[in-house]
């Protein structure tokens, strides 16, 4: 007999402490859950957990501590490929490792590769054993996809741009609280608008700003022009009856409106078209 389970799960996940100027904030951190069935058990991973939970029945969960499991990297993704369970998560500024283990409860996760920097990863193993990787969390860049070598977990072929934002035609992608875009309220807009040239569409930064490490006129211009555009994020691939379903989320977790969208294709790397209603 089939059974249905309902959230919330009563899990003792960690607290995170953050300092924002003079204000110190503490809150429970249990975002971005991913669940997988592997060798007879269910495994549940969430951001910032210093380990993972496991269960035989989806009702009763035990915590397995693993403080070395990239606990400060966000949005973990866990998938089975062959006899291994693969784990990766998001980090900025450095290549992100892809780890694996044959038994999460008795063996450590070991690094297989660190191919490039990514955010919101999703690993997908097709019926034929070929492996594909999807990622993206940006209002300036799309959801990307690339094939990976299943032995080395390194890219094969060219990275493909798969899903872009279309906030002017898709209402559920429209950012802002209640779908109202207020560029003037943006701190970035207020600080950069004095340097914006509407004729060129670029920021003309003064020398003292242009030479600051980590800043560039090109990068800041892209961010400035993206104010009011949706974050396209959280890729997740599934396959059913030969059709590939690439799911994503938008327009941004900071707003009071949030949605999921789905694109479909006959190929794991597209081209993708938005799934029709009905």
């Amino acid at each position: 007999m089939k059974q249905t389970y309902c959230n919330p799960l009563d899990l003792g996940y960690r607290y995170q402490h953050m300092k924002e100027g003079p204000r110190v904030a503490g809150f429970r951190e249990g975002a971005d859950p991913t669940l997988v069935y592997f060798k007879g058990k269910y495994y549940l991973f969430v951001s910032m957990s210093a380990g993972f939970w496991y269960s035989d029945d989806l009702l009763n969960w035990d915590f397995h501590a693993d403080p070395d499991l990239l606990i400060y990297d966000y949005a973990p993704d866990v998938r089975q490929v062959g006899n291994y369970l693969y784990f990766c998560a998001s980090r900025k500024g450095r290549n992100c490792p892809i780890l694996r283990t044959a038994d999460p409860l008795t063996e450590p996760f070991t690094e297989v590769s660190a191919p490039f920097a990514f955010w919101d990863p999703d690993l997908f193993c097709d019926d034929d054993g070929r492996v594909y990787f999807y990622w993206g969390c940006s209002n300036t860049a799309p959801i990307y996809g690339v094939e990976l070598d299943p032995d080395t977990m390194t890219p094969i072929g060219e990275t493909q741009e798969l899903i872009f934002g279309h906030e002017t035609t898709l209402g559920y992608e429209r950012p802002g609280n209640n779908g109202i875009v207020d560029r003037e309220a943006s701190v970035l807009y207020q600080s950069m608008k004095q340097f914006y040239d509407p004729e060129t569409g670029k920021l003309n930064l003064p020398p003292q700003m242009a030479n600051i490490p980590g800043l560039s006129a090109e990068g800041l211009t892209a961010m400035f022009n993206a104010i009011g555009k949706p974050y396209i994020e959280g890729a997740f691939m599934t396959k059913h009856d030969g059709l590939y379903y690439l799911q994503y989320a938008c327009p941004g977790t900071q707003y009071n409106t949030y949605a999921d969208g789905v694109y479909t294709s006959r190929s794991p790397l597209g081209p993708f078209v938005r799934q029709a209603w009905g």
Side-chain angles (χ1 to χ4, degrees):
M1 182 178 70
K2 292 184 177 180
Q3 292 180 295
T4 301
Y5 301 90
C6 182
N7 284 328
L9 295 175
D10 185 15
L11 301 177
Y13 46 88
R14 297 175 55 199
Y15 278 82
Q16 181 180 185
H17 301 276
M18 296 183 66
K19 187 174 182 180
E20 300 171 343
R23 176 175 173 267
V24 177
F27 48 86
R28 295 183 76 184
E29 175 69 68
D32 313 303
T34 183
L35 185 146
V36 65
Y37 185 71
F38 179 68
K39 296 183 179 179
K41 290 186 182 296
Y42 297 95
Y43 292 92
L44 176 65
F45 295 75
V46 304
S47 294
M48 308 285 287
S49 63
F52 55 86
W53 287 264
Y54 61 97
S55 172
D56 293 320
D57 58 9
L58 290 176
L59 289 176
N60 302 290
W61 294 88
D62 293 306
F63 183 71
H64 179 85
D66 190 345
D68 295 324
L69 192 57
L70 307 181
I71 64 172
Y72 295 112
D73 294 356
Y74 265 96
D77 177 71
V78 185
R79 292 286 186 113
Q80 181 175 357
V81 179
N83 291 319
Y84 291 96
L85 190 65
Y86 284 81
F87 174 98
C88 59
S90 316
R91 65 171 58 172
K92 292 182 178 179
R94 293 180 294 158
N95 286 12
C96 301
I98 298 177
L99 316 177
R100 77 177 185 183
T101 181
D103 187 339
L105 296 177
T106 63
E107 298 181 7
F109 282 86
T110 58
E111 184 174 319
V112 180
S113 68
F116 46 82
F118 50 73
W119 202 270
D120 279 4
D122 179 55
L123 189 67
F124 172 73
C125 185
D126 208 345
D127 304 331
D128 57 5
R130 296 172 71 174
V131 173
Y132 301 89
F133 192 73
Y134 306 90
W135 72 98
C137 177
S138 174
N139 64 344
T140 62
I143 297 291
Y144 295 102
V146 71
E147 184 174 1
L148 297 183
D149 184 308
D151 296 319
T152 64
M153 289 297 164
T154 54
I156 300 173
E158 298 295 324
T159 295
Q160 304 297 318
E161 297 178 338
L162 302 179
I163 297 178
F164 291 85
H166 297 284
E167 73 282 0
T168 59
T169 56
L170 299 178
Y172 66 89
E173 288 189 356
R174 185 175 174 85
N177 288 328
N178 302 319
I180 299 173
V181 177
D182 186 359
R183 289 172 58 88
E184 292 283 348
S186 166
V187 174
L188 177 63
Y189 184 86
Q190 290 295 329
S191 60
M192 292 288 111
K193 66 177 183 180
Q194 59 183 311
F195 307 119
Y196 185 69
D197 184 345
E199 293 186 2
T200 64
K202 297 181 180 180
L203 295 174
N204 297 320
L205 298 180
Q208 62 269 28
M209 292 184 64
N211 295 326
I212 297 177
L215 293 179
S216 70
E218 181 180 353
L220 285 172
T221 295
M223 293 172 60
F224 184 88
N225 289 328
I227 296 172
K229 291 186 175 296
Y231 272 78
I232 304 299
E233 56 194 8
F236 190 84
M237 173 64 79
T238 54
K239 184 181 182 182
H240 180 69
D241 286 344
L243 193 62
Y244 297 88
Y245 294 82
L246 183 54
Q247 305 166 58
Y248 73 104
C250 61
T253 56
Q254 67 270 40
Y255 304 121
N256 66 352
T257 57
Y258 203 60
D260 294 322
V262 183
Y263 281 71
T264 63
S265 176
R266 289 291 175 182
S267 168
L269 291 177
F272 284 88
V273 295
R274 189 163 52 89
Q275 185 181 24
W277 293 98

